[in-house]
Structure formats: structure tokens, C-alpha cells
Amino acid sequence: MSEPKSKSDLPPGEIPVPKAVVSRLSLYLRELQHLVRDGHQRTSSSQLGRLLGFSDAQVRKDLAYFGHFGHPGIGYRCDDLIKAIRKILGTDRDWPVAMVGTGNLGRALLGYKGFSHQGFRIVAAFDIDPQRVGATIEGVRVFHLDQLTQVVEANHIKLGLIAVPAPAAQAVADQLVAAGLEGILNFAPVTISLPDHVRQVGVDLAIELEQLSFSVVSRANTNGADGE
Amino acid sequence: MSEPKSKSDLPPGEIPVPKAVVSRLSLYLRELQHLVRDGHQRTSSSQLGRLLGFSDAQVRKDLAYFGHFGHPGIGYRCDDLIKAIRKILGTDRDWPVAMVGTGNLGRALLGYKGFSHQGFRIVAAFDIDPQRVGATIEGVRVFHLDQLTQVVEANHIKLGLIAVPAPAAQAVADQLVAAGLEGILNFAPVTISLPDHVRQVGVDLAIELEQLSFSVVSRANTNGADGE
């Protein structure tokens, strides 16, 4: 949230990094992985910027938060930059993940291939519905929520996904915290309170659509005058 | 993206509003709807702030972008504020929505109840798989993508959701644009290019998890020194 201090004061890795920069890192990583898949070994700030709709200055500035990756006249080596970004994002390791809730959304997330590409492996699912407990969905066993602590410890799980109805989300979050999780991705459309040491990212799909309707409506209102 | 100009220069509604403010509006709306459901008629900037983890000054500042809603000593009437925010976000009307892709994620989105609560109604789904075309999923008919323009026009669809594999996303987006859509919510893990007049919001679930692993890892690195 806070503005970055002067970068020269602090070594890379200790500079507070604005949220927007971190989310752009994920976009750079995604494009770099596509470039490698398409056979490219090198890229440049202008190519990355063009692919993502950012200026090349923006790309260079973002990456400079974390050290010096580029080589003048050569650009970036895709593999090196991928490795560096994965290290920054913490996805240079495997993250076993717990999934709570196996309704429609939970099931879709269990089948979502994009997670494992980035090192996130859903290793256990939890529910309280006797019809669901004991089932295997997309290769993932569904446990009763009562077994949470035990399964979390056995699998060294640090991250959890919440895909339960809104009224149940806070109680589930409390149980995840008690079981020792350090980060929660919350898909329930409600704000949950967590202790300071546990990190939270919320994804509310209706809110994403609202952001879209806002930009469509405000564009119509200003008749396109306010481009972005 | 740009910084807001001095608010006194422009009437409410014509001030460029930072993205972060718009996404907080959605959070205010969600909390207000919960408050009303729980029987509350009035609220205050401090109550809203407390529920969301923002300061009351932040709440007042955000809402001031759009006009004067509060009454000194009384606070906000929930219904009035809900109505005002829905108007700003464009969800004071119904949005018929098209869904392209009926795999795991597409099906989950078709069954997601949170959309319709905010006025988004998925009225038609599209696929190219003959096994899926003609089916009805969660009450929504699946059409062949070839029928897109016709169905979009008949249903006055302005917004579309893309839930197809990444390699197909750009071609689908081009078809949605050609059919006259004005906004696209893209769940495919790839950046798509759209003409200036079409709005885009991207949701990459793996990126959300990366943001979480980043904050867990950076917390561990700084030993909790850098609170937020």
C-alpha cells in the first residue's frame, strides 16, 4: 500500500513493492512462459510491454525493483527471467494447497489445470457433506473438515482455497488458521477477518463483472473521452 | 491509471476515478447488502471501514468521488447508498451476459449464484464441441459459436465471459467484438488484445495464488517487519 522508498536506499528484495508491481510480475511470467513455449530464448522490455499493453519503461521500472536482469543490447534471457520472477513470487517451490468446499466452484477449481503449471498442487479437499466426504474429484480425495489439522500437517500445507457459501466462510477461515495455514485465497463473496500473520487474497467473481460494467458504463457516459 | 485531478475542478461523475476506488466500491456494496440482509437500515463510514479493514477517512474519501451521500451525525442510509453505488457501477440495470466455453470452469460459472445477485444474468452459452452444443446447463442453453452474432443481437448482450483454453481465447475475443460486445471478462490465462472501445477485465486464478504466495514468502523474508 505504501509508496516505495528511494530504491537506492535499500538492497533489492528489501524494498516494499507496490501491489500493482507484484501483479504485473505475474503477467510478465505468463508472457515469458508463452514466449518459451513458442521457441523464443530472449526478449526485451519493449516486446514484453507490447504483448501486455505496457510501455517498455514500465517493464524496466517494475523489474528494477528486484535487481538487474537485463543486458544492454541483448535484453532478457527468458529462462533467467522466469527463474528470477518465480523466486520472487515464491513459485520456485511446490505449494501443496488445501481446498475447502466441493460445490460447483470447488469442483471447477479442482479441475483447473492452470494452478499446477505454476507450482500449486491441490493435495486435499474438504467438505462437511457426507455425500461428498470420501469421494475423489479430479484425483483429489475429499476429507471431512474435522480432519483438517491432521491432513494439513501430514501434507505440509501452507495455502488454502475457500470455496464455501458466504455464511460459512469465516468459520472455515478460522479453522484454516488454527490448522496453521499462512495464506488463504477466498472465493466466498464476503470479507473475512484473519490474524495479521495470515495473508489473504479475495476473488469475488461478481466484483470482477462489476468492474467491467463500470468501465463500460463510464465509457458510455464520457463518450470515450477518458480513454483509460 | 492516471491520478485524479483536483476534485473541485470537475462535477462528480466526470472525475477520473482510480481503479482501486472502483474496486472498493464493489466491496462497500457487498457489505451494505449484508448489512441490509441482517436488518440494518443505517451505517457509517467507521462501521463500513471496520467491516472491511479500511479507515473511516478512506471510506469517506472514496465515496466523495461520486457526490455527497452521508448525513452528518446520521451516517449513510444503506438503501440509498446501495442504490447510488449500483448506479455508479452500472448494476442498477440488468446485464444479459454471454458465456463462451462450457468446460469445467464455464460450467461452474454458469452455476455461480453470485452473478445474478448483482444483476448479471448469463442468458446464453457457446461452445464448438458437438457433444455440448444443444445441451442446457444450469438452465442456460448451449449454442454453437457460429450462432454468436444472432444470439447476441436477439438478447441485447453487451458483456461476455471467456472460459476457453488459452490458445483459443484471442479468436473467441475477436468474435465477441465482431458480434458487438462492449466488455469482456477473460478467464483464459492469456492477455488478449481488444480494440479501444471494448473493455476488458482479466481473471487468472493462478495469478491470484501467486499474489498470495508472494505475500507469504515476502512476509517470511522480512520476518513480518513490513506489515502490509
Side-chain angles (χ1 to χ4, degrees), chain A residues 88-128:
Chain A
I88 295 162
L89 293 175
T91 57
D92 55 339
R93 67 200 79 181
D94 253 18
W95 290 91
V97 176
M99 172 80 194
V100 186
T102 61
N104 251 327
L105 186 60
R107 281 163 186 269
L109 295 172
L110 286 170
Y112 186 65
K113 302 285 174 283
F115 289 142
S116 56
H117 292 160
Q118 305 300 348
F120 302 104
R121 213 161 26 91
I122 301 179
V123 294
F126 298 89
D127 210 302
I128 51 168

Side-chain angles (χ1 to χ4, degrees), chain A residues 25-177:
Chain A
L25 274 192
S26 283
L27 294 174
Y28 298 139
L29 176 59
R30 199 170 74 176
E31 289 306 327
L32 286 162
Q33 289 172 328
H34 291 164
L35 285 169
V36 167
R37 205 143 54 208
D38 295 345
H40 298 272
Q41 296 189 344
R42 291 171 192 287
T43 184
S44 61
S45 52
S46 59
Q47 184 181 34
L48 278 175
R50 203 167 50 243
L51 288 166
L52 288 161
F54 307 149
S55 70
D56 50 346
Q58 176 80 73
V59 174
R60 284 194 300 271
K61 193 179 153 203
D62 286 346
L63 296 176
Y65 273 98
F66 306 97
H68 300 287
F69 297 116
H71 306 281
I74 302 178
Y76 303 104
R77 297 164 71 93
C78 294
D79 281 342
D80 289 352
L81 196 49
I82 287 173
K83 206 179 287 179
I85 295 180
R86 295 192 76 139
K87 183 144 188 260
I88 295 162
L89 293 175
T91 57
D92 55 339
R93 67 200 79 181
D94 253 18
W95 290 91
V97 176
M99 172 80 194
V100 186
T102 61
N104 251 327
L105 186 60
R107 281 163 186 269
L109 295 172
L110 286 170
Y112 186 65
K113 302 285 174 283
F115 289 142
S116 56
H117 292 160
Q118 305 300 348
F120 302 104
R121 213 161 26 91
I122 301 179
V123 294
F126 298 89
D127 210 302
I128 51 168
D129 182 342
Q131 304 276 336
R132 292 173 178 171
V133 171
T136 298
I137 303 171
E138 302 277 343
V140 178
R141 171 93 178 276
V142 183
F143 296 91
H144 193 283
L145 197 54
D146 290 345
Q147 294 171 269
L148 183 69
T149 305
Q150 184 189 337
V151 176
V152 162
E153 282 176 8
N155 292 279
H156 308 288
I157 295 171
K158 297 284 176 225
L159 303 182
L161 274 61
I162 294 181
V164 301
Q170 182 66 54
V172 164
D174 293 341
Q175 284 177 274
L176 290 172
V177 170

Side-chain angles (χ1 to χ4, degrees), chain B residues 12-43:
Chain B
E14 295 182 22
I15 304 160
V17 182
K19 245 178 168 171
V21 175
V22 182
S23 61
R24 285 197 294 269
L25 274 192
S26 284
L27 294 175
Y28 298 139
L29 176 60
R30 199 171 74 176
E31 290 304 329
L32 287 161
Q33 290 173 327
H34 291 164
L35 285 169
V36 167
R37 206 142 55 207
D38 295 345
H40 298 272
Q41 297 189 344
R42 290 171 193 288
T43 186

